[in-house]
Amino acid sequence: TAVGPVRTAFVESHDLDMDCANQLVTFLSERQVEAFMQTSDGSSEEVFTQIGDDLKNYPLYILVTGKATQEFVTKRENRARTAAVSARTPILIGKYESGDDAAIDMSRLKIMTALKRPKPIPVEAMFQTPAERKP
């Protein structure tokens, strides 16, 4: 079982939620969390085949939602879970709800699945400023 704070994340969104996803990636990078961002319009099956390999490199997958349809969100959640199980990847799968304001907040992140990882304590440090983190 992988333990410890999350220091890398895979952030995905529909093109409609790209602005919020970009803000989240910037927020995380300011807190020394390496984040890879991928967006799509939801129609590309090519993205589905690559995700298993991508998830092996990240202990956290965050799907940014808000303007995308529920069908897109459900399909992405299921695909990430299936890819992680197939790859036997220790990972947290979360959903981040975008909002009208630009404030990035831990309360918007809901951990949906914890595969071989503790839930959800390791992600809390991502939302702290460097000064708030304990060495």
Side-chain angles (χ1 to χ4, degrees), residues 5-66:
V6 172
R7 305 305 322 147
T8 59
F10 183 104
V11 177
E12 186 176 24
S13 76
H14 190 285
D15 290 345
L16 295 171
D17 294 308
M18 182 176 14
D19 289 342
C20 183
N22 189 47
Q23 290 170 358
L24 179 60
V25 167
T26 299
F27 177 89
L28 294 174
S29 68
E30 290 170 349
R31 282 149 180 79
Q32 288 77 49
V33 175
E34 177 189 333
F36 170 77
M37 185 174 91
Q38 176 174 290
T39 64
S40 72
D41 65 4
S43 62
S44 173
E45 290 299 319
E46 201 175 289
V47 172
F48 285 163
T49 59
Q50 182 64 36
I51 192 72
D53 289 335
D54 290 340
L55 289 181
K56 289 178 185 178
N57 300 316
Y58 299 94
L60 174 64
Y61 167 86
I62 302 173
L63 177 60
V64 177
T65 66

